[in-house]
């Protein structure tokens, strides 16, 4: 079952309109998460909303938004006042223009959403908008209000639906000159480029997200399993630091090591570990639950959702 929609409204291209819903295209709920505990009691830490001066807890109905003009001086803004300035993009994604995908600076990308027709009506209009974007090989740019703020959204066709990626405004993107101005101008020789290019060619491949593994997440799972089993925690060896003195020699050695890495899988009979979708992996069975079958106990189940300790 698809998750609950983050937004529902209308998608409009000129006079063509259809009801749509936006769903988050990514999730981090599968990752290991920790709670903060009181070391003395083992109880969870609870956060309260308190008055900064009196220290008294404040109920939700007495909490309002405020913009700080000066230290300790605020302008209060009510929910009703915010609703009065609601923009059309609160309920409608109006397509303003079409651009080439290559024109969108990757620094402006925030997060993707899946967009599909909402309900049984409007599928024809949705298909017209989708196929027009696909046929023109463009990205449609519109505006949408999410979490009480208006965002730019870039729409692209994907299968039978659309992917909408939120974009940042120019004032949200820092200038690269603030960071790059002090980089020294270095002349790179042709020999260096040739060696570096050879390394790239040896490591060339296709982008296949399913083959990547979140090594830190795997280490967390191992740590939690060891602690639950009462096993001692042995620190991992840290990689030795290398001091590169001769850049050309380092490039030559890299070319040789890249060649060895390519041949390694052929020598090893053991298949490389493949990361499961969403980096899912079963933790040790919780005491009190029925033990899993012997075969399943040896190999983690991909479909089982992890539980944090």
């Amino acid at each position: 079952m698809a998750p609950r929609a983050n937004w529902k409204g209308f998608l409009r291209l000129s006079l063509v309109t259809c009801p749509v819903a936006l769903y988050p295209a990514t999730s981090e709920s599968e990752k290991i998460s920790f709670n903060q505990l009181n070391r003395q009691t083992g109880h969870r830490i609870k956060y309260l909303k308190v008055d900064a001066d009196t220290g008294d807890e404040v109920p939700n109905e007495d909490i309002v938004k405020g913009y700080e003009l000066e230290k300790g001086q605020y302008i209060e803004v009510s929910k009703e006042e915010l609703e009065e300035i609601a923009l059309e993009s609160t309920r409608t994604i109006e397509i303003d223009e079409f651009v080439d995908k290559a024109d969108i600076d990757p620094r402006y990308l925030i997060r993707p959403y899946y967009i599909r027709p909402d309900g049984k009506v409007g599928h024809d209009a949705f298909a017209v908008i989708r196929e027009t974007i696909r046929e023109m090989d463009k990205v449609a740019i519109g505006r949408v209000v999410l979490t009480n703020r208006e965002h730019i959204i870039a729409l692209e066709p994907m299968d039978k639906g659309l992917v909408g990626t939120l974009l940042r405004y120019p004032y949200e993107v820092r200038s690269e000159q603030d960071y790059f101005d002090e980089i020294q101008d270095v002349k790179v020789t042709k020999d260096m480029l040739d060696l570096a290019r050879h390394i790239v060619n040896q490591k060339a491949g296709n982008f296949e997200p399913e083959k990547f593994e979140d090594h830190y997440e795997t280490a967390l799972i191992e740590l939690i399993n060891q602690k639950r089993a009462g096993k001692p925690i042995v620190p991992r060896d840290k990689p030795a630091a290398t001091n590169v003195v001769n850049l050309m020699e380092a490039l030559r050695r890299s070319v040789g090591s890249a060649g060895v890495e390519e041949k390694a899988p052929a020598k090893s009979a053991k298949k490389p570990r493949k990361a499961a979708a969403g980096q899912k992996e079963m933790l040790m069975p919780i005491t009190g639950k029925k033990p899993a079958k012997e075969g399943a106990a040896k190999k983690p189940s991909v479909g089982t959702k992890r539980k944090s300790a």
Side-chain angles (χ1 to χ4, degrees):
M1 180 181 292
R4 189 173 62 179
N6 279 31
W7 182 92
K8 288 188 176 183
F10 297 90
L11 176 62
R12 185 163 65 204
L13 172 60
S14 189
L15 298 179
V16 180
T17 306
C18 62
V20 295
L22 267 68
Y23 299 85
T26 60
S27 171
E28 296 192 354
S29 62
E30 296 297 325
K31 288 188 173 182
I32 290 285
S33 60
F34 293 100
N35 294 310
Q36 291 187 323
L37 307 177
N38 182 336
R39 186 195 298 272
Q40 303 298 326
T41 65
H43 300 158
R44 282 188 61 179
I45 300 297
K46 183 179 179 181
Y47 289 93
L48 302 176
K49 296 179 180 179
V50 299
D51 188 299
D53 290 337
T54 67
D56 297 331
E57 185 176 356
V58 182
N60 286 333
E61 59 268 22
D62 290 339
I63 298 176
V64 296
K65 294 182 182 294
Y67 176 79
E68 188 173 27
L69 287 176
E70 298 176 6
K71 186 68 175 177
Q73 218 174 31
Y74 301 91
I75 292 181
E76 292 185 7
V77 181
S78 68
K79 181 181 178 181
E80 292 72 25
E81 289 171 331
L82 290 173
E83 289 175 350
E84 287 177 4
I85 64 168
L87 305 169
E88 184 181 4
S89 50
T90 304
R91 295 294 300 159
T92 303
I93 300 176
E94 176 80 38
I95 297 177
D96 296 324
E97 61 179 346
F98 294 85
V99 303
D100 291 331
K101 187 174 183 178
D103 290 343
I104 301 177
D105 189 323
R107 293 177 297 175
Y108 285 78
L109 305 177
I110 302 178
R111 74 182 68 89
Y113 289 86
Y114 294 136
I115 303 175
R116 71 180 190 189
D118 185 30
K120 297 181 179 180
V121 299
H123 286 247
D124 291 345
F126 182 85
V128 168
I129 296 173
R130 180 196 65 212
E131 293 309 309
T132 300
I133 301 172
R134 196 193 306 273
E135 178 68 22
M136 299 297 292
D137 194 23
K138 296 284 188 178
V139 176
I141 303 296
R143 288 160 287 121
V144 64
V145 172
L146 287 172
T147 61
N148 299 321
R149 299 299 297 265
E150 185 178 57
H151 299 271
I152 309 167
I153 188 167
L155 307 173
E156 300 176 76
M158 175 179 280
D159 194 22
K160 296 190 294 183
L162 292 170
V163 173
T165 304
L166 298 188
L167 303 178
R168 294 182 174 89
Y169 287 98
Y171 68 83
E172 297 178 283
V173 178
R174 293 174 176 174
S175 170
E176 70 279 7
Q177 299 304 325
D178 296 338
Y179 306 90
F180 298 164
D181 274 354
E182 295 181 6
I183 298 178
Q184 298 178 9
D185 292 325
V186 177
K187 181 176 177 57
V188 181
T189 66
K190 182 180 181 303
D191 290 342
M192 289 183 177
L193 284 176
D194 288 342
L195 286 169
R197 191 181 298 112
H198 189 66
I199 297 170
V200 172
N201 289 333
Q202 286 179 312
K203 292 179 174 289
N206 297 318
F207 180 65
E208 301 172 11
E210 63 274 5
K211 73 182 179 183
F212 293 106
E213 177 185 348
D214 187 338
H215 296 289
Y216 183 72
E217 188 78 358
T218 301
L220 281 178
I221 293 169
E222 184 180 343
L223 172 66
I224 292 171
N225 281 336
Q226 287 178 334
K227 291 183 74 70
R228 292 177 73 176
K231 296 180 180 179
I233 306 302
V234 181
R236 297 192 175 196
D237 294 332
K238 294 183 179 180
T242 57
N243 184 20
V244 178
V245 178
N246 189 311
L247 184 55
M248 279 295 292
E249 182 62 24
L251 286 168
R252 290 192 184 98
R253 289 183 181 180
S254 297
V255 169
S257 63
V260 172
E261 288 175 7
E262 277 189 340
K263 295 177 183 178
K267 292 181 180 179
S268 176
K270 188 177 179 182
K271 292 183 179 180
R273 178 177 179 178
K274 187 175 182 180
Q279 196 66 26
K280 295 180 182 178
E281 180 141 4
M282 183 189 295
L283 293 172
M284 286 178 55
I286 297 175
T287 306
K289 290 194 174 183
K290 293 182 180 179
K293 292 182 180 179
E294 187 177 351
K298 293 180 181 178
K299 187 175 182 180
S301 170
V302 173
T304 305
K305 187 174 181 181
R306 209 172 37 233
K307 293 185 180 180
S308 57

